[in-house]
Amino acid sequence: MAVTYAREWDLSDLYNGLDDPRLQQDLRALQDQASAFRQQYRGRVGELTPAAVRTAIQTLEYLWERVGYCYAYPSLIFAADTRNTPARQVLDQVMQTATEIENQVLFFSLELQQLPAERLAALQEAAALVPYAHYLERVRLGQPYQLPEAVEQTRNQDSLTGRQAFIQLRSVHQGALTYRPVTTPEGTTATLEAELGALLFHADGDTRYQAYTSIREQLAAHNLLYGYILNTVAQDHRLENQMRGHASTLAKQLLVDEVPEGVFWSIMRGTETRYDLFQRYYQRKGEALGRKIRTCDVLAPWPSQQPVDTQIDYDRGIDLLLAALGQFSETYRSRSEQFFQRRWVDAQMRPGKQGGAFCSYIHGKNSYLLLSYADNYNSLFTLAHEMGHGLHFAWIGEAQTYFNSNPPMVLAEVASVFNELLLLDYLLAQASDQPDLQRVLLVRLIEDQLSLIFRQSTISRLELAIHERAVQGSFDQEFVNKTWTELYQQLCGSAVEVLPEHGVDWARVGHIFFKPYYCYQYTASSVVSLACYQQYRQQGQAFIPGYLQLLAAGGSQEQMGALRQYVGVDLTQPETIARALDTVAGLIDRLEASL
């Protein structure tokens, strides 16, 4: 008997409603606990024994874990419907309280950083603090960039009405947008952003163009606003860099994300030298379609001898995903099934829903996944991607305490891309007697990798230009439009027509607003995932223990060393990047041979 899965999540593991009295009670209790922590430890951190430092750290972990519960509930409700005013109001209150708590306890890391180097080194080596060695190393590395406590407190408070407020404004504004309806030749009408995005996979070129321009008409109408927000965010980063002594926004983010600068530039140079792969693929696709590919056509289906059914309803998609994960590990499958059984997934399309997809992890509880499932393969792979994050955090949750639970960004994306590869292999095997469907799936993998490797690194090239320009002074939306168009044209060459509407497309990329230089890490993670998957195909079950150890490591150790230790991948070597690009070239060879 077929199982029917709910498309809306159940957040009752957190609270029973925005008016649940426990939420306000918890916020008040956490404020009291933060005040008590300050009274107990402020001015005394240098006197504490290693055992006492460990107790203090564990107290902070308990505090922040429960702040996470309070924050997660309204933020998840708001993400599911950004028009929900009560959710936004409660979220604002929680963020205000969290900032007050942070200001109460930030002295602890500041006092640790003020310890003499030999004293901090002794703490790192103490047996009682072995589980927190990496946490203390992060404290040490941040030492040169910390400000006095009063300044840090002001900085935190100002963020609520400064940079963070502008980031929130973009989310609220985009959630309130309405789009020109697009009706397909089949007679269905799309009005929501997710529905219009799904039409980019439609076989009819005019339908794709209309869906593409419907979204970008709204971005163009509000181009000045989004440019103003991005400039404000970039200028705030510039001012913070000056205050703290960071050489640049890039340097600041590389420090936070534990990525050596050489790895960043190897990725940027390595991808730029292989634009030919992107252009070769889309040149070939244009030939198959009988017209030059436009930016609205990059996801268009390839022509096939027989019609291919690419409709995958939600229930069937879940069953396929669970079966694919079960072939890798039965434990992997059973843990994935919990997400649907316990309703930790919100896949329903609705007006006002936050665009894109995410996995929100609440340490001590579980993860919640958000996406807008459009009953197609693209949505299924998005579900697999976010489930990869959820599984990653499931292993972290069993192995790590709060301060060790947040994996650096490159590691954070490995399990998600790996999950997509597991799903693809399973679907290809299921379609062994359907060459046209196999081609559809192979195309999906190629286009996904081209996006992760080339589009995402191009977004980071835009950020380089934005933050370099911010150092010189303010910029406007025209600067961003022009720069984005030029960079995308360099990537596309003569293979893809960059439509004029594409100039405003950057406003859809949330990461450039709320997490600078995140996007190249998708490229890095794709490289690592391809390397891991090649090893899995070669080693079989013998690969799995090391891979699961990598996931369980979370943020407990330096990520480049963890990759070498557990799965034998060295991202500091340019050859690793080159091999991943060669793998993509091989996929294109395979596709061309099937035509």
Side-chain angles (χ1 to χ4, degrees), residues 61-279:
E61 287 186 310
Y62 177 90
L63 182 72
W64 285 120
E65 182 177 283
R66 279 147 185 80
V67 169
Y69 303 167
C70 297
Y71 173 82
Y73 187 75
S75 70
L76 291 171
I77 292 177
F78 178 72
D81 180 6
T82 59
R83 302 178 185 186
N84 187 325
T85 299
R88 179 178 56 79
Q89 291 171 336
V90 174
L91 179 58
D92 288 344
Q93 180 201 3
V94 172
M95 290 174 64
Q96 174 70 40
T97 302
T99 299
E100 292 170 0
I101 290 171
E102 184 175 4
N103 280 347
Q104 286 284 318
V105 303
L106 66 82
F107 74 88
F108 185 77
S109 61
L110 294 178
E111 289 189 28
L112 280 177
Q113 288 171 332
Q114 292 164 6
L115 294 176
E118 62 275 10
R119 169 68 173 146
L120 188 54
L123 288 177
Q124 288 180 266
E125 296 170 4
L129 289 167
V130 167
Y132 298 101
H134 189 61
Y135 166 78
L136 292 170
E137 176 63 9
R138 300 297 301 156
V139 168
R140 185 189 69 80
L141 291 173
Q143 190 174 43
Y145 309 106
Q146 288 297 334
L147 303 169
E149 182 183 9
V151 179
E152 293 284 5
Q153 290 175 330
T154 301
R155 181 82 192 154
N156 288 338
Q157 197 69 36
D158 287 348
S159 179
L160 293 172
T161 53
R163 185 164 82 202
Q164 191 58 44
F166 279 96
I167 293 169
Q168 190 83 325
L169 170 62
R170 173 192 166 273
S171 296
V172 171
H173 189 272
Q174 288 205 340
L177 294 178
T178 57
Y179 302 97
R180 170 173 51 83
V182 174
T183 301
T184 70
E186 298 78 21
T188 60
T189 299
T191 57
L192 302 179
E193 182 185 13
E195 293 172 335
L196 293 165
L199 290 185
L200 296 179
F201 295 87
H202 199 280
D204 179 63
D206 185 60
T207 299
R208 294 193 300 270
Y209 177 76
Q210 294 302 326
Y212 178 90
T213 54
S214 176
I215 292 174
R216 285 149 188 86
E217 283 168 3
Q218 284 289 356
L219 299 181
H222 304 287
N223 192 214
L224 186 149
L225 172 64
Y226 295 136
Y228 183 84
I229 293 173
L230 185 58
N231 174 67
T232 301
V233 170
Q235 295 299 334
D236 189 79
H237 280 291
R238 176 183 63 81
L239 293 173
E240 183 181 32
N241 298 338
Q242 292 176 351
M243 293 173 68
R244 296 188 183 281
H246 291 290
S248 64
T249 300
L250 174 63
K252 175 176 65 178
Q253 288 305 133
L254 291 177
L255 178 68
V256 170
D257 296 331
E258 302 182 40
V259 175
E261 186 173 352
V263 169
F264 172 81
W265 289 113
S266 288
I267 290 169
M268 301 305 282
R269 285 191 294 267
T271 51
E272 189 172 24
T273 60
R274 294 308 310 270
Y275 281 177
D276 63 292
L277 289 177
F278 188 93
Q279 295 165 13

Side-chain angles (χ1 to χ4, degrees), residues 565-577:
Q565 177 182 349
Y566 297 121
V567 292
V569 175
D570 191 348
L571 199 53
T572 65
Q573 298 299 313
E575 293 80 9
T576 303
I577 300 167

Side-chain angles (χ1 to χ4, degrees), residues 449-498:
Q449 290 301 317
L450 291 176
S451 177
L452 288 168
I453 291 173
F454 293 108
R455 183 176 181 273
Q456 296 295 339
S457 57
T458 299
I459 293 170
S460 285
R461 295 183 209 284
L462 173 65
E463 292 183 284
L464 285 169
I466 287 169
H467 291 287
E468 287 172 3
R469 180 66 180 81
V471 173
Q472 303 168 26
S474 296
F475 56 83
D476 61 13
Q477 75 280 4
E478 294 299 336
F479 167 79
V480 190
N481 297 345
K482 180 175 182 291
T483 304
W484 175 240
T485 300
E486 290 174 350
L487 289 169
Y488 218 77
Q489 188 62 68
Q490 291 169 19
L491 170 62
C492 294
S494 61
V496 178
E497 178 187 350
V498 179

